Amino acid sequence: MPIVRNSFIQMSKLTNLKGRINYISSHARQENLYAVYETTDRKFWTELAKCNQEEFKRSGTEGKCIEARELIIALPERFVDYEPDKLLKLFTEYFKQKYDVECIAALHHNKRKTNYHIHLIFSERKLLDAPVLKIATRNMFYDETGKHVRTKKEIMDDAGQLRSGCKIIPKGEVYERNLFTIKDSRFKSDSFLDEVKRSYTDLINIYVRDDKEKLKVFDKNGVYLPMKKVGKNNPKAEQIEADNRVRTMWNQTVDRAFVSGVPEKQILEVKQSEIGQKAKASIQKSGRNPALFKSLIMTAIYALELLISKVFKRASEKADKVTEAFAKSEPEQTKVRAVNEPVMAKSEPIPEIPKKSELVSKYPRLADIYNKLEKQNEAIYQREQQLVSVEKEIAGTKGIFKGKQRKELQEQAEQLRAQIASMKQYLSSIVQGYGYKNVKEFLVVYHASKAEYSDYQSAVAKWEQQTGNKAESDSFRSRLQQKQQEVKERENNRQSHYYRNDRGGR
């Protein structure tokens, strides 16, 4: 089973529309350009950029004028099998019909041909059926910046001459000509990109031939944190990579929490209170601060590890009580059905033996994976307890005569931290090796399989009681074939683990 992948769709604001259109649609500038599709002629985009710039000047807003917006849509690599022109037309017309705006799109591969993607530029304005003309009722005066001023004196120099760059529009002439509507505010909303991701992911999945390769939309409201994309020649690449490392640490801790039995609701509460709410408050107060965000995630990790430790202690206390109770009590006697009890009437037809569903067949392998997760989690916990013990010793080694002992303990603590980090990484990789994106995804399948397996066992037991027959256990050959298939799947998934490691859109 291949790893389930999230769809990748990002949006950016364009401040140089003409230059961007030329870049994505030029064979001279794109060595792997397969198709270009336009819903209107190029003159539309020239007029659109001009309209946006003029309105931006009139508004007096600081910053850069947004002339249009662009989506980059990553496609499954198998989509190269589809005819490029038809594929691009499908995706572009889909957007135009859904949002009723003009588009221009291009279908690309990156340099190494590892990222098949679409650049789709769209307008935030619509063309009016007829231009709206504004006629001057008196002489109109404009300064060098294009700003309208009240009197002629404001645009004259000391010699009484019109300053360079200033202009006068006489009464009765057109002083403003609008070809477009105002910008559609929905394209600025936070929900727009989420909507686009879901609709395009659904569209992509229609044309994915193998159900196992269908894409999912990352749930930003879930327990995991998304990884940030490091684009080509990104000046903040190091900062993003450092940010991704701490995000990975959180995700690995979430995997551990699930294996330990921490309820998803509690994990989500930690994420929302320690990361979401505090990060939002910090941004509102002092803007984005990567260093502060990292510290928030680390605090959340410590909070989650505290919950994991609490679960381990409860489990240990419960096990001690069960052992003590078992030692005091006598073993229960299993009631055995009398031999001469009739199995079933001879006239009744013999029922068919229950059949295994696909989930039931998977259960032995899933149970094996689950056991590996539990053992690894237990091993991590033991290492963490060792680290706590060493740190206590370090705190107790004070004074100049214990310098050597303190140094040795500090080295031991560093080794334990490195081991723990490596073990946490391995825990998450266990399920990834079997094709699951994370532990949560695996546990959904595991618990469903376990429930079906329990029902199947009950059905088999009932069948045996009704017929007096014994159901055949799995043969050695079938178990061997299952093991060989498991090894084959793991090898395939190891190779696909690095699939598309270069996803940078150009």
Side-chain angles (χ1 to χ4, degrees):
M1 185 174 70
I3 295 174
V4 177
R5 300 186 181 278
N6 290 323
S7 57
F8 174 81
I9 299 172
Q10 76 173 22
M11 184 170 67
S12 56
K13 303 169 185 176
L14 301 182
T15 58
N16 180 10
L17 180 56
K18 183 179 177 181
R20 187 61 178 172
I21 289 175
N22 178 266
Y23 178 75
I24 68 167
S25 62
S26 169
H27 283 281
R29 302 182 71 180
Q30 299 292 338
E31 55 187 312
N32 296 313
L33 172 62
Y34 301 111
V36 176
Y37 183 79
E38 305 178 44
T39 61
T40 187
D41 57 52
R42 292 287 174 95
K43 185 180 178 182
F44 171 89
W45 302 103
T46 303
E47 292 292 341
L48 176 68
K50 182 181 176 183
C51 169
N52 281 317
Q53 289 292 350
E54 287 175 350
E55 187 170 301
F56 183 75
K57 282 183 180 180
R58 287 196 297 269
S59 69
T61 307
E62 294 182 358
K64 293 183 178 180
C65 172
I66 300 169
E67 298 178 353
R69 292 178 185 257
E70 176 186 9
L71 293 172
I72 297 179
I73 307 164
L75 302 174
E77 285 301 315
R78 293 181 188 272
F79 273 36
V80 295
D81 296 337
Y82 292 111
E83 195 173 326
D85 291 311
K86 290 183 178 179
L87 180 68
L88 185 61
K89 181 179 178 180
L90 169 70
F91 275 74
T92 311
E93 286 293 341
Y94 177 83
F95 190 92
K96 177 178 169 60
Q97 292 173 15
K98 188 174 180 67
Y99 297 104
D100 193 25
V101 290
E102 302 298 343
C103 310
I104 177 170
L107 181 62
H108 292 178
H109 246 141
N110 63 335
K111 189 175 183 179
R112 293 196 290 170
K113 292 192 174 182
T114 56
N115 179 13
Y116 199 46
H117 59 279
I118 290 172
H119 292 266
L120 188 148
I121 294 172
F122 65 93
S123 168
E124 296 176 274
R125 302 176 187 270
K126 288 191 247 182
L127 195 64
L128 293 167
D129 294 333
V132 175
L133 305 178
K134 293 186 179 181
I135 310 297
T137 56
R138 62 182 181 83
N139 289 346
M140 305 285 287
F141 310 111
Y142 294 88
D143 65 14
E144 297 90 343
T145 64
K147 184 180 178 181
H148 174 245
V149 295
R150 288 176 58 84
T151 63
K152 184 177 180 180
K153 185 178 179 180
E154 294 177 68
I155 59 173
M156 308 300 283
D157 59 19
D158 294 337
Q161 300 297 317
L162 188 68
R163 293 201 306 267
S164 176
C166 298
K167 66 179 180 179
I168 301 173
I169 296 178
K171 177 182 176 180
E173 290 191 8
V174 176
Y175 70 90
E176 191 175 311
R177 183 170 176 264
N178 291 332
L179 299 176
F180 298 90
T181 63
I182 61 172
K183 286 187 177 182
D184 193 330
S185 60
R186 64 180 161 170
F187 299 129
K188 299 179 183 178
S189 67
D190 294 336
S191 60
F192 170 69
L193 186 56
D194 288 337
E195 179 187 310
V196 168
K197 284 181 179 179
R198 294 186 186 282
S199 60
Y200 263 128
T201 301
D202 290 342
L203 179 64
I204 289 170
N205 285 338
I206 290 172
Y207 296 92
V208 172
R209 290 165 182 164
D210 188 345
D211 287 346
K212 294 177 181 178
E213 295 180 4
K214 290 187 182 294
L215 303 178
K216 289 185 177 181
V217 178
F218 184 87
D219 183 8
K220 67 178 184 180
N221 296 318
V223 292
Y224 293 97
L225 287 173
M227 296 296 105
K228 286 188 174 182
K229 181 177 176 295
V230 183
K232 184 180 178 183
N233 300 324
N234 192 328
K236 295 183 178 180
E238 284 188 23
Q239 179 183 310
I240 294 172
E241 287 168 359
D243 183 68
N244 281 342
R245 282 194 290 273
V246 75
R247 286 168 180 261
T248 300
M249 289 172 64
W250 164 261
N251 290 343
Q252 290 171 355
T253 310
V254 169
D255 282 344
R256 270 201 74 203
F258 275 121
V259 177
S260 303
V262 178
E264 182 177 355
K265 184 179 178 182
Q266 287 189 4
I267 301 172
L268 196 57
E269 284 174 355
V270 171
K271 182 192 172 191
Q272 290 172 343
S273 62
E274 298 298 330
I275 302 175
Q277 294 174 8
K278 290 183 179 179
K280 186 177 180 180
S282 173
I283 291 171
Q284 290 175 346
K285 184 178 179 180
S286 53
R288 297 185 180 276
N289 185 337
L292 179 59
F293 185 68
K294 179 180 176 181
S295 70
L296 293 178
I297 295 178
M298 293 306 300
T299 302
I301 289 172
Y302 299 146
L304 202 51
E305 286 178 340
L306 189 63
L307 288 176
I308 293 169
S309 178
K310 190 176 180 180
V311 170
F312 267 102
K313 287 180 180 177
R314 282 182 180 173
S316 178
E317 291 169 1
K318 187 176 181 181
D320 291 342
K321 288 180 181 179
V322 170
T323 304
E324 185 180 346
F326 181 78
K328 291 180 179 179
S329 64
E330 294 182 359
E332 293 183 2
Q333 298 295 322
T334 305
K335 292 182 180 180
V336 181
R337 179 166 55 88
V339 177
N340 59 352
E341 185 179 337
V343 175
M344 59 185 302
K346 290 184 179 180
S347 59
E348 294 180 12
I350 299 175
E352 289 186 6
I353 187 170
K355 294 181 180 179
K356 288 183 178 180
S357 67
E358 185 179 352
L359 269 179
V360 170
S361 301
K362 285 181 178 180
Y363 179 71
R365 186 186 68 170
L366 296 174
D368 182 52
I369 299 171
Y370 184 75
N371 290 334
K372 288 178 182 178
L373 289 171
E374 284 198 313
K375 287 179 181 178
Q376 183 68 8
N377 195 31
E378 179 66 33
I380 293 170
Y381 180 72
Q382 295 300 329
R383 282 286 192 281
E384 287 176 335
Q385 296 308 299
Q386 291 177 26
L387 179 59
V388 170
S389 179
V390 171
E391 287 175 339
K392 285 181 179 178
E393 285 189 62
I394 292 172
T397 53
K398 296 178 181 179
I400 57 174
F401 299 107
K402 294 186 178 181
K404 183 179 179 182
Q405 182 185 358
R406 184 165 56 251
K407 185 178 179 181
E408 290 174 353
L409 287 170
Q410 287 171 343
E411 289 176 355
Q412 187 180 346
E414 285 303 314
Q415 289 176 358
L416 284 169
R417 289 190 189 97
Q419 288 176 7
I420 290 168
S422 178
M423 292 168 77
K424 287 178 179 178
Q425 184 177 1
Y426 177 68
L427 183 139
S428 295
S429 72
I430 289 173
V431 294
Q432 292 169 1
Y434 289 94
Y436 299 94
K437 190 170 183 62
N438 49 54
V439 170
K440 179 188 174 183
E441 186 178 275
F442 163 75
L443 289 177
V444 170
V445 180
Y446 169 72
H447 289 309
S449 176
K450 185 178 180 180
E452 280 203 22
Y453 184 79
S454 178
D455 292 342
Y456 168 77
Q457 293 287 76
S458 298
V460 169
K462 184 178 180 181
W463 178 85
E464 289 178 344
Q465 185 180 9
Q466 288 176 333
T467 63
N469 297 330
K470 189 74 176 174
E472 292 184 6
S473 59
D474 292 337
S475 65
F476 173 77
R477 178 178 293 180
S478 65
R479 291 199 301 272
L480 180 62
Q481 288 175 345
Q482 182 181 352
K483 195 68 179 176
Q484 290 173 339
Q485 180 64 24
E486 179 183 328
V487 172
K488 184 179 179 182
E489 286 178 2
R490 293 193 68 177
E491 286 300 319
N492 290 338
N493 281 297
R494 280 198 190 97
Q495 293 174 8
S496 66
H497 185 68
Y498 299 100
Y499 174 68
R500 270 209 211 158
N501 55 4
D502 178 8
R503 293 175 62 86
R506 295 183 58 201

